Amino acid sequence: MRWRPSNLDKVRLALLAAGLLCVATGLLPRAEAADNMRRIAPLLLFLGSVIVLAELARAAKVFDVIAHRLAIVAGGDYAALFLLCGLFATVTTVVLNLDTTAVLLTPVMLALAVPARIAPLPLAMTTLWLANTASLLLPVSNLTNLLAADRVGLDVTGFAARMWLPQLLSTVATMVCLWVFYWRRSRRGADRYVVPEPVRPADSRERWLLWSTGGACLAFVLAIPLAGDHIGYAAAAAALIALVAFAIFDRSVLRPSLFPWQLLVFVAGLFLVVPTLSRFGLSDLMHGLVGDDPGASGAFRAAGAGAGLSNIVNNLPAYTAGEAVIPDANRNQLLALLIGSNVAPIVTPWASLATLLCLEFCRVYRVRVPLARFVLSGLVLAVTATTLAVAGLLLTG
């Protein structure tokens, strides 16, 4: 079957082509471009490996088993299901990163809505919001976290020590807004849901795939606090275990589409285009927005700049543009920029890749997301969660 790029694929390829053109024409010096590529190479290894691992976990029905089990444990009670789904989405985002939540958990949740006869919109918004707002705690939770941790010289435990309170406050704000805007009785339209049947492996082959791939995911999670700067290698090793399992039991899953080239192309293109734009005025704009105050005022300004630019353009270029103008000594300001870039890209549909992916799955599953409600509720959460998280950051500092 002939491959036909989607409109989003065309944008990604065009972004990479524009970045290469910047290097070829000298708009971005080759030495600077090479430094940028060396910086993101370990991040791309991690990102590619963890997406492959998560895709294979989906094929092995690891996420389906967990999601159905949560619905069974909740026993038809919406409040219990709300808390369990929120916990599931939060943990997935924290330990496997926000793109895993967007790419794999969203379709699982939407598929769960059918047998349980649950309104799909609350489930979709749970994964969409928590994919963004729960991505603060660990360096692996978000690509921007890996960049920030490297910039300020924090290992996994040091990063978590600074971000645990911002993450807690951001998650609590998200859960409150989810209940008010999407999960309460008047919004979901039912008192109870139908408890679904558990997902069970059909034969020994599926059982081996489930346990081996689930074991690979667990091994990766356990390796996170130990891997330090080598988290990409840990993710690659876990992905390799899952790949070997599928090579033995189900080779049909091992297709070229398993490799997330689109995401890697997008990231590589951004790290060529954004530095070029920074050389021609973007840095001046960001410096004017962020300022250089190392105190509380500078932190809130940086968070606001990251949040605003993320929703105008996208959170990854917003973070990289802001990072370039913040002095190394201003740790709080850099981490506040990170909070604004991570938590707030939920107001416009293009604000983050995770938001784009979640909304694309909603379109595929024919789940209507009212735009006005999406924007207004997202704005309330973005302002609330960002403000609380920055305040928490200043307290941990």
Side-chain angles (χ1 to χ4, degrees):
M1 184 176 178
R2 185 179 178 183
W3 174 68
R4 293 182 178 179
S6 66
N7 290 333
L8 194 54
D9 289 339
K10 292 176 182 177
V11 170
R12 290 163 175 153
L13 291 169
L15 185 67
L16 179 61
L20 294 174
L21 185 62
C22 290
V23 177
T25 57
L27 293 175
L28 181 67
R30 293 189 179 186
E32 185 176 344
D35 287 342
N36 287 337
M37 292 301 102
R38 279 192 292 269
R39 184 187 180 195
I40 67 169
L43 312 184
L44 295 179
L45 173 64
F46 161 74
L47 200 58
S49 298
V50 81
I51 293 296
V52 169
L53 174 63
E55 284 281 6
L56 292 176
R58 180 198 59 79
K61 299 183 179 180
V62 173
F63 295 115
D64 297 78
V65 168
I66 297 172
H68 279 69
R69 182 57 59 185
L70 293 179
I72 293 168
V73 169
D77 183 82
Y78 267 103
L81 181 66
F82 165 68
L83 293 174
L84 290 172
C85 286
L87 178 64
F88 187 23
T90 298
V91 171
T92 303
T93 301
V94 167
V95 301
L96 289 178
N97 96 5
L98 77 167
D99 296 310
T100 297
T101 301
V103 172
L104 303 176
L105 199 55
T106 304
V108 167
M109 289 291 196
L110 293 178
L112 173 65
V114 176
R117 299 177 192 172
I118 301 169
L121 184 59
L123 293 170
M125 293 305 299
T126 299
T127 56
L128 190 154
W129 276 0
L130 286 169
N132 291 283
T133 62
S135 65
L136 293 175
L137 184 61
L138 299 177
V140 299
S141 307
N142 199 326
L143 175 61
T144 50
N145 293 6
L146 290 165
L147 296 172
D150 177 65
R151 172 73 183 276
V152 298
L154 290 173
D155 59 12
V156 174
T157 54
F159 191 89
R162 290 302 317 275
M163 302 303 282
W164 72 267
L165 185 55
Q167 180 64 88
L168 176 62
L169 294 172
S170 173
T171 303
V172 169
T174 304
M175 295 298 284
V176 170
C177 287
L178 278 170
W179 184 263
V180 170
F181 289 113
Y182 294 99
W183 276 85
R184 58 193 170 99
R185 175 63 177 82
S186 61
R187 293 294 190 180
R188 65 178 184 256
D191 290 318
R192 295 181 66 82
Y193 65 88
V194 177
V195 178
E197 293 295 320
V199 175
R200 295 188 176 92
D203 50 37
S204 60
R205 178 185 63 84
E206 287 193 2
R207 191 175 298 109
W208 275 106
L209 284 173
L210 175 65
W211 285 106
S212 58
T213 308
C217 292
L218 179 60
F220 170 68
V221 171
L222 295 175
I224 289 173
L226 306 174
D229 294 337
H230 303 294
I231 191 66
Y233 296 113
L240 182 61
I241 293 172
L243 285 167
V244 170
F246 272 89
I248 295 172
F249 295 107
D250 189 3
R251 294 186 180 181
S252 64
V253 174
L254 304 181
R255 300 182 300 271
S257 59
L258 193 66
F259 183 71
W261 65 266
Q262 300 98 325
L263 189 56
L264 306 188
V265 163
F266 177 71
V267 173
L270 277 177
F271 275 82
L272 295 175
V273 171
V274 173
T276 305
L277 295 176
S278 295
R279 292 171 57 85
F280 293 92
L282 182 59
S283 287
D284 294 335
L285 172 63
M286 286 304 295
H287 186 267
L289 293 173
V290 171
D292 51 15
D293 180 0
S297 175
F300 280 106
R301 282 184 64 178
L309 190 59
S310 293
N311 284 290
I312 294 172
V313 185
N314 181 271
N315 70 323
L316 191 51
Y319 172 78
T320 53
E323 182 195 56
V325 301
I326 293 177
D328 291 339
N330 292 12
R331 280 192 168 192
N332 280 351
Q333 199 175 25
L334 182 70
L335 293 176
L337 170 72
L338 180 70
I339 288 172
S341 302
N342 282 11
V343 170
I346 51 175
V347 181
T348 57
W350 56 83
S352 76
L353 182 60
T355 300
L356 274 170
L357 291 170
C358 288
L359 290 175
E360 176 62 18
F361 280 117
C362 288
R363 185 191 65 79
V364 170
Y365 280 80
R366 297 181 180 179
V367 177
R368 181 176 174 270
V369 182
L371 183 59
R373 187 172 163 195
F374 175 85
V375 171
L376 292 175
S377 61
L379 181 61
V380 171
L381 175 58
V383 172
T384 304
T386 301
T387 302
L388 290 174
V390 174
L393 174 71
L394 296 173
L395 289 174
T396 61

